Amino acid sequence: MGKLVENGPKSMVIGILALQGAFVEHQVMLQKLAPSLHVEISVNLVRSIQDLQACDALVIPGGESTTIALLAKHSGLLDPLRDFIKTKPVWGSCAGAILMSRSVTNAKQGGQDLLGGLSVTTVRNGWGSQIESFEAPLVVTSLSQPDRPFQGVFIRAPAVLSIDLAPEDPPLRVIARLPVDLLPNTQSVIQENQGLADHFNPQTVVAFRQGNHLFTSFHPELTKDDRFHDYFVQECVIPSLITNPSSNMLK
Ligand SMILES: NC(=O)CC[C@H](N)C(=O)O
């Protein structure tokens, strides 16, 4: 799967924010994938500012976004994470994707600290509660073996309510959509745009790329399919290390 990138990095450190949620599953998947890539990958769990400083890229896993934000606040990680996102590749999956949104609706009482980085407004639990969780095959042509659908696992997933691109924001490229007929009809919060065709409906967007960041509202780490992890390393992390050869590339 891995392609040899000329003048590419020899090694990299990918951190996984390990305060709550599915961080072990991301770690296992990245560690399994590493030997097939032509680069040495250390996968580090991140729980402190020092852990974060050692990383070239970060995965913020699914779990519970309010809890992750609270724990990040208590660990003094909120601002360091915000700074990290400004310069390095970060992948937010599910709760992680909520945290990387510019704004969020349906937050828990008391509000929700966000990390930002992505030009979207999301709604927490966009498809409803745990029992409305579902799986759906996604057509993702940016992945290797594009003809093979990727099984999206949506667990109390956020939905994209709107894409709010400011002129100075990096372009946003949609990677995967759900067909309109799979959009929820139970949640009044996201019914408004349902008349729109897939292509124009932000609520159909379930994965996108913005700059070197990746957003997935579902959980690739809970499948056996490592193509999103491969995509993150090859398309987001390696290019960022080539244009911005930081410490770890020269190790
Ligand atoms: N699977 C998930 O990550 C669920 C996210 C959860 N609904 C939240 O608000 O954080």
Side-chain angles (χ1 to χ4, degrees):
M1 241 200 253
K3 55 187 180 211
L4 186 59
V5 183
E6 222 170 298
N7 302 322
K10 304 268 176 295
S11 68
M12 65 173 75
V13 180
I14 301 186
I16 303 172
L17 190 63
L19 300 175
Q20 189 267 339
F23 53 86
V24 172
E25 288 82 353
H26 276 291
Q27 183 186 32
V28 169
M29 200 160 249
L30 279 168
Q31 278 168 342
K32 275 199 193 146
L33 175 70
S36 73
L37 302 169
H38 296 276
V39 52
E40 199 184 302
I41 303 182
S42 311
V43 187
N44 290 4
L45 296 183
V46 171
R47 297 194 170 101
S48 68
I49 298 175
Q50 292 74 14
D51 295 341
L52 184 64
Q53 280 165 346
C55 297
D56 297 304
L58 185 72
V59 178
I60 306 180
E64 214 295 309
S65 55
T66 320
T67 309
I68 296 176
L70 272 173
L71 293 169
K73 195 174 195 168
H74 287 149
S75 323
L77 270 169
L78 274 184
D79 282 332
L81 283 167
R82 289 177 179 132
D83 290 341
F84 191 95
I85 291 172
K86 285 185 189 134
T87 56
K88 301 204 173 159
V90 181
W91 172 13
S93 73
C94 206
I98 295 172
L99 289 166
M100 291 180 73
S101 303
R102 184 168 290 160
S103 65
V104 68
T105 67
N106 202 20
K108 279 203 176 147
Q109 224 181 358
Q112 161 93 60
D113 280 310
L114 296 177
L115 304 172
L118 298 173
S119 311
V120 285
T121 297
T122 47
V123 50
R124 283 182 69 247
N125 302 342
W127 279 267
S129 63
Q130 185 77 18
I131 52 163
E132 273 129 351
S133 298
F134 64 100
E135 293 192 18
L138 303 172
V139 175
V140 198
T141 54
S142 312
L143 298 182
S144 60
Q145 303 173 46
D147 295 338
R148 182 156 64 90
F150 190 96
Q151 191 66 5
V153 177
F154 294 82
I155 305 172
R156 285 180 296 111
V160 174
L161 275 185
S162 60
I163 296 174
D164 320 307
L165 263 191
E168 66 277 14
D169 291 348
L172 186 152
R173 180 145 50 91
V174 173
I175 298 181
R177 291 181 185 269
L178 269 182
V180 162
D181 57 0
L182 283 181
L183 290 182
N185 51 21
T186 50
Q187 280 274 307
S188 55
V189 269
I190 58 169
Q191 277 183 356
E192 224 170 83
N193 285 335
Q194 282 202 21
L196 292 177
D198 295 27
H199 189 70
F200 296 105
N201 190 340
Q203 293 165 13
T204 61
V205 175
V206 291
F208 68 83
R209 161 99 185 268
Q210 188 175 20
N212 285 322
H213 297 328
L214 180 62
F215 172 110
T216 56
S217 58
F218 50 94
H219 285 268
E221 78 287 4
L222 298 185
T223 68
K224 292 205 169 7
D225 191 338
D226 60 10
R227 287 179 294 158
F228 265 96
H229 292 76
D230 182 61
Y231 178 90
F232 181 60
V233 173
Q234 310 234 36
E235 304 296 332
C236 302
V237 186
I238 290 180
S240 98
L241 286 172
I242 291 171
T243 41
N244 178 20
S246 63
S247 51
N248 293 304
M249 182 177 167
L250 303 169
K251 269 184 203 165

